[in-house]
Amino acid sequence: PANCVLFRGAGARLECTPFDERHGTKSFFVAPTAMIRGLGISLEMDEVVAKGATGDYRTNLFAKSDAVVESITSGTYDFGFCHVKAVDDAGHDRDLPRKVEWLQRADKMLESIVKGLAKDTRETGVQYAIVVTGDHSTPVIRG
């Protein structure tokens, strides 16, 4: 029988300065993972829902990349954030082949974003910057 219950990620909405107010931007996020989604909501960023995007291995990364390109090139936003969880999950699961697979998938997703933004730059002259970062490492040897 279970002897404890762990509420991972449970919490309350953070009281903080809205992202756009602090940075002078109009921002959006694509992040179906509950904890990251909650952070975006707390920061009062606009949520962009990508059909088929999940916070697990079933996610549709190209739905995310399409949503990012469509949103940032719309002229409505000047900052976007997109979260990819599956790479992290594979590390926690100590599954090296799956981690490599999801790194390759994330790379293809990023390629799709770069190509979409490059196309918009050719058509409009608008230039974009892309930053790729992680919130922590998840080496498969440690899980």
Side-chain angles (χ1 to χ4, degrees), residues 47-60:
E47 180 177 13
V48 173
V49 177
K51 186 173 179 156
T54 67
D56 57 32
Y57 296 129
R58 297 169 296 147
T59 196
N60 181 340

Side-chain angles (χ1 to χ4, degrees), residues 8-83:
R8 186 178 189 285
R13 183 172 186 258
L14 298 174
E15 294 298 327
C16 54
T17 304
F19 187 91
D20 295 342
E21 181 181 322
R22 176 172 287 223
H23 298 287
T25 60
K26 180 62 179 159
S27 63
F28 72 91
F29 71 92
V30 178
T33 304
M35 194 177 326
I36 306 303
R37 181 175 177 257
L39 182 59
I41 291 168
S42 290
L43 292 170
E44 298 183 25
M45 299 168 75
D46 288 351
E47 180 177 13
V48 173
V49 177
K51 186 173 179 156
T54 67
D56 57 32
Y57 296 129
R58 297 169 296 147
T59 196
N60 181 340
L61 294 181
F62 290 107
K64 288 182 179 183
S65 63
D66 290 347
V68 166
V69 171
E70 182 179 323
S71 297
I72 202 73
T73 61
S74 71
T76 301
Y77 301 103
D78 49 19
F79 180 87
F81 171 80
C82 180
H83 183 251

Side-chain angles (χ1 to χ4, degrees), residues 98-109:
R98 186 173 257 181
K99 178 131 183 173
V100 170
E101 172 193 353
W102 279 96
L103 285 167
Q104 291 170 335
R105 287 183 181 200
D107 188 53
K108 291 290 186 190
M109 181 190 90

